[in-house]
């Protein structure tokens, strides 16, 4: 034990406990792993081997790509032979917490003679030439994103390829990215690309036991996804942020099992003294003239509500999008998770209960805002819905200033729908929330399952770089010999929790107007292609496709019986007071009007 006490453990503070696991804790850990397997959280050996083979192929293609650029630029053979080129992975694959169908985030690193333009000009062609026949099922280059990306399906595996050019003469296979001097001379795009791998590598180096960390992180990621608190764009922690939180708890209990880490995680993080930042090591200075997170210097950093700071230089806040509402929601979910794990360790609950699906639509709220982004072409909708998604958290922040709103809860993904309309009247109805013209035999998809590269890029902040696809704004099809118009919509939902009390009016006119003005004020907005609407939706009016087959939809409350009063007139009792809801957008034909008084 003396040796354990004197050991230098990673972290900015000493461990809370060095206690070795008990038999009960080991049994709980085995039960957790069994449940994760039951939840299909681990992939089979065959798929894992296919991933390794695919990455080996991508590495060979990268080497050939660099050589090809050198040949085109007529470089001598000695430089061609030594130029190199190397791929690095990051994200869930590098952390070792990937599952069936997970993407492989991959960074292509090249020497200074190879440009980003070369990457998009030559790499796709070489990829197609060197890949096994039929291996490339889909390939989407997105060169105008802030972090340019090539998204592809390769032998059944989704791969996101990003690019970075180091200011070095060669990139051998032995190169590592830990050395901060390699960051000299990089532009913002290259620096951001390289830092994904650097952050992931640092996290793994800063946890006491990687196996324990991975077990706990698998559990926390699954829990966060099931509870719909996993989406950086919408104001929740993303994958890297959740990983850093788990890593910090691992530092505090370096000998614990994964199951114990999960239990400690909920109790420690739910009671964290925010805005005290979560850091895995002391924030370090470096050789670049770049911004490093520091609330003492930068005023904007002082407003981060739940700062979780990346360990790799230059350190940044991974959770700057969190709002007052999403902070409350995260804290509630952490407390709920802690209560369940406490019961698991006393035999009153099972790990299965921790991973129960969210109740956002079934029991979450009585009142919702539906934000409907619509376009007349599919290509335009991918961009437009991404832009609208990137602004939803700003609407949430504005709603928080309304005195009658306790919190505004954005759902962490949008719902993509396709509609078939015969005329402008039907189109107007669709963009105002009417679903009766939804295309038959089409399935509503969520934005995360669609996983489109352009949508994702602009949602994550690439609005200034992304162009709206041009078109005549009139996608037509023929149904039973009749000409029809295709309309594509993506709807985002915000649950509204009101302050308890006799609320008589909810006026969110300026919040919704400001949101719409911000979106349509985007330089690339096209009024002939795009539209935006916000409608109020009661829980019993939510569309059927936001529920799964085993979920019970909220029922419309029965009207109260009219009672006679002394003078013989009748008076209606309500479960809640009447409320004026003011949203300055026109309703669809037959839909509810938002400025009128109605019974809540």
């Amino acid at each position: 034990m003396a040796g354990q006490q004197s050991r230098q453990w990673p972290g900015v503070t000493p461990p809370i406990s060095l206690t070795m696991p008990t038999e009960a804790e080991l049994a709980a850990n085995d039960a957790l792993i069994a449940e994760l397997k039951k939840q299909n959280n681990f992939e089979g050996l065959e798929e894992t081997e296919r991933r390794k083979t695919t990455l080996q192929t991508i590495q060979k293609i990268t080497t050939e790509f660099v050589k090809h650029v050198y040949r085109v630029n007529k470089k001598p053979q000695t430089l061609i032979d030594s130029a190199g080129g190397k791929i690095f992975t990051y994200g869930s694959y590098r952390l070792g917490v990937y599952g069936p169908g997970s993407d492989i985030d991959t960074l292509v690193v090249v020497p200074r003679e190879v440009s980003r333009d070369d990457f998009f000009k030559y790499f796709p062609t070489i990829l197609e030439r060197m890949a096994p026949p039929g291996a490339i099922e889909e390939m989407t280059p997105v060169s105008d994103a802030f972090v340019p990306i090539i998204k592809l399906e390769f032998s059944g595996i989704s791969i996101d390829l990003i690019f970075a050019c180091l200011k070095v003469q060669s990139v051998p296979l032995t190169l590592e990215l830990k050395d901060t001097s390699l960051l000299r001379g990089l532009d913002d795009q290259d620096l951001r690309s390289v830092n994904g791998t650097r952050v992931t590598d640092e996290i793994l180096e800063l946890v006491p036991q990687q196996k324990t960390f991975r077990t706990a992180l698998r559990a926390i990621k699954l829990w966060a996804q099931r509870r719909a608190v996993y989406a950086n764009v919408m104001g929740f922690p993303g994958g890297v942020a959740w990983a850093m939180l788990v890593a910090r708890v691992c530092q505090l209990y370096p000998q614990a099992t994964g199951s114990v880490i999960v239990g400690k995680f909920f109790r420690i993080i739910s009671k964290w003294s925010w805005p005290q930042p979560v850091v895995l090591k002391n924030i370090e200075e470096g050789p670049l003239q770049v911004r490093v997170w520091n609330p003492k210097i930068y005023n904007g950093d002082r407003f981060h509500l739940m700062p979780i700071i990346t360990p790799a230089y230059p350190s940044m806040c991974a959770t700057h999008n969190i709002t007052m509402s999403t902070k409350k929601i995260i804290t509630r979910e952490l407390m709920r998770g802690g209560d369940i794990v406490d019961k698991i360790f006393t035999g009153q609950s099972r790990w299965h209960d921790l991973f129960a699906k969210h109740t956002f639509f079934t029991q979450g709220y009585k009142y919702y805002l539906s934000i409907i982004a619509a376009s007349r072409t599919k290509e335009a909708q991918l961009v437009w819905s991404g832009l609208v998604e990137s602004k939803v958290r700003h609407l949430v922040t504005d709603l928080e200033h309304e005195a009658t709103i306790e919190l505004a809860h954005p759902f962490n993904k949008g719902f993509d729908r396709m509609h078939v309309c015969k005329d402008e009247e039907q189109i107007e109805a669709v963009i105002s929330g009417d679903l009766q013209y939804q295309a038959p035999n089409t399935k509503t998809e969520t934005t995360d399952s669609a996983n489109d590269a352009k949508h994702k890029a602009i949602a994550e902040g690439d609005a200034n770089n992304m162009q709206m696809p041009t078109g005549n704004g009139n996608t037509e099809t023929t149904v039973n010999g009749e000409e029809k118009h295709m309309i594509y919509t993506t709807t985002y939902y915000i649950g509204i929790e009101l302050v308890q009390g006799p609320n008589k009016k909810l006026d969110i006119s300026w919040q919704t107007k400001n949101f719409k003005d911000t979106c349509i004020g985007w330089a690339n907005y096209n009024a002939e292609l795009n539209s935006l609407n916000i409608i109020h939706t009661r829980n019993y009016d939510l569309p059927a496709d936001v529920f799964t087959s085993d979920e019970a939809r909220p029922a419309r409350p029965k009207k109260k019986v009219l009672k006679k009063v002394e003078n013989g007139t009748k008076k209606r009792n309500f479960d809640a007071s009447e409320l004026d809801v003011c949203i300055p957008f026109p309703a669809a034909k037959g839909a509810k009007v938002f400025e009128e008084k109605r019974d809540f």
Side-chain angles (χ1 to χ4, degrees), residues 24-64:
E25 291 169 347
L26 291 170
N29 194 64
D30 290 341
L32 172 58
I33 294 172
E35 181 59 37
L36 289 172
K37 290 179 178 178
K38 187 177 178 180
Q39 298 276 353
N40 198 31
N41 199 258
F42 294 87
E43 71 177 11
L45 291 176
E46 183 179 342
E47 188 174 352
T48 298
E49 286 303 313
R50 191 162 69 249
R51 288 180 185 273
K52 293 177 181 178
T53 302
T54 297
L55 288 173
Q56 290 169 359
T57 303
I58 299 294
Q59 175 58 60
K60 292 176 182 177
I61 292 169
T62 297
T63 303
E64 177 56 31

Side-chain angles (χ1 to χ4, degrees), residues 114-129:
V114 182
S115 71
R116 194 174 294 110
D117 289 340
D118 292 328
F119 180 61
F120 285 94
K121 183 177 181 180
Y122 300 117
F123 198 94
T125 304
I126 297 171
L127 183 64
E128 289 176 333
R129 173 166 55 86

Side-chain angles (χ1 to χ4, degrees), residues 405-425:
I405 293 179
E406 177 67 28
L407 64 77
H409 182 170
F411 191 58
N412 66 337
K413 60 195 76 171
F415 290 79
D416 293 329
R417 301 181 178 100
M418 187 166 61
H419 313 262
V420 181
C421 304
K422 70 176 183 180
D423 53 35
E424 288 298 322
E425 184 179 358

Side-chain angles (χ1 to χ4, degrees), residues 88-209:
F88 296 83
T89 59
Y90 61 102
S92 62
Y93 182 80
R94 178 70 182 96
L95 288 172
V97 292
Y98 54 93
S102 295
D103 294 350
I104 302 180
D105 296 314
T106 308
L107 169 67
V108 174
V109 176
V110 300
R112 61 192 177 202
E113 299 293 337
V114 182
S115 71
R116 194 174 294 110
D117 289 340
D118 292 328
F119 180 61
F120 285 94
K121 183 177 181 180
Y122 300 117
F123 198 94
T125 304
I126 297 171
L127 183 64
E128 289 176 333
R129 173 166 55 86
M130 294 184 63
I136 301 177
E137 301 158 32
E138 183 180 337
M139 180 161 53
T140 307
V142 186
S143 58
D144 50 355
F146 182 72
V147 177
I149 186 172
I150 297 176
K151 192 171 187 64
L152 66 141
E153 291 288 327
F154 193 104
S155 298
I157 296 170
S158 297
I159 300 177
D160 290 349
L161 287 173
I162 62 174
F163 171 92
C165 170
L166 301 182
K167 305 308 177 185
V168 295
Q169 189 170 348
S170 66
V171 177
L173 293 177
T174 56
L175 178 78
E176 296 298 333
L177 298 175
K178 188 176 178 65
D179 184 359
T180 56
S181 67
L182 292 172
L183 306 180
R184 293 184 186 275
L186 301 190
D187 62 21
D188 288 344
Q189 291 171 310
D190 286 336
L191 184 60
R192 184 184 288 192
S193 296
V194 168
N195 248 21
T197 295
R198 284 168 46 79
V199 167
T200 307
D201 287 350
E202 285 259 27
I203 292 172
L204 289 174
E205 287 184 13
L206 290 167
V207 294
Q209 299 184 64

Side-chain angles (χ1 to χ4, degrees), residues 302-476:
R302 298 171 195 165
F303 293 97
H304 295 161
L305 300 177
M306 300 178 72
I308 303 169
I309 311 304
T310 56
Y313 171 84
S315 292
M316 305 173 190
C317 179
T319 47
H320 61 276
N321 289 338
I322 287 178
T323 71
M324 290 187 293
S325 289
T326 55
K327 180 186 175 185
K328 289 180 183 178
I329 294 157
I330 294 163
T331 302
R332 289 178 183 178
E333 288 294 342
L334 288 167
M335 294 177 68
R336 170 192 172 275
D339 291 343
I340 292 174
V341 176
D342 286 350
K343 292 179 180 179
I344 291 171
F345 275 94
T346 57
Q348 301 174 67
S349 241
R350 301 172 301 156
W351 287 111
H352 174 81
D353 301 322
L354 179 65
F355 306 125
K357 186 184 174 183
H358 64 84
T359 57
F360 179 84
F361 294 111
T362 56
Q363 302 172 28
Y365 303 94
K366 290 183 180 179
Y367 322 120
Y368 296 82
L369 294 182
S370 302
I371 302 164
I372 306 162
S375 298
R376 299 192 179 218
T377 70
K378 185 176 182 179
E379 294 74 19
Q381 180 63 6
L382 293 174
V383 175
W384 177 235
S385 62
L387 184 281
V388 172
E389 182 174 316
S390 73
K391 306 300 181 185
V392 169
R393 69 178 182 276
H394 300 295
L395 174 58
V396 168
T397 300
D398 285 344
L399 291 170
E400 291 168 348
H401 294 298
E402 169 56 41
T404 57
I405 293 179
E406 177 67 28
L407 64 77
H409 182 170
F411 191 58
N412 66 337
K413 60 195 76 171
F415 290 79
D416 293 329
R417 301 181 178 100
M418 187 166 61
H419 313 262
V420 181
C421 304
K422 70 176 183 180
D423 53 35
E424 288 298 322
E425 184 179 358
Q426 291 185 359
I427 292 173
E428 187 62 32
V430 165
I431 64 180
S432 298
D434 197 328
L435 297 183
Q436 66 175 306
Y437 304 112
Q438 194 166 352
N441 303 318
T442 61
K443 184 179 179 182
T444 300
E445 265 194 322
T446 53
T447 48
D448 63 326
S449 61
N451 197 22
D452 179 80
K454 287 188 177 181
H455 172 94
K456 184 177 179 181
I458 195 169
E460 292 178 352
D462 286 341
N464 294 331
N465 300 289
M466 198 74 67
Q467 297 297 314
M468 181 66 67
T470 56
N472 61 9
N474 193 24
T475 302
E476 298 178 352

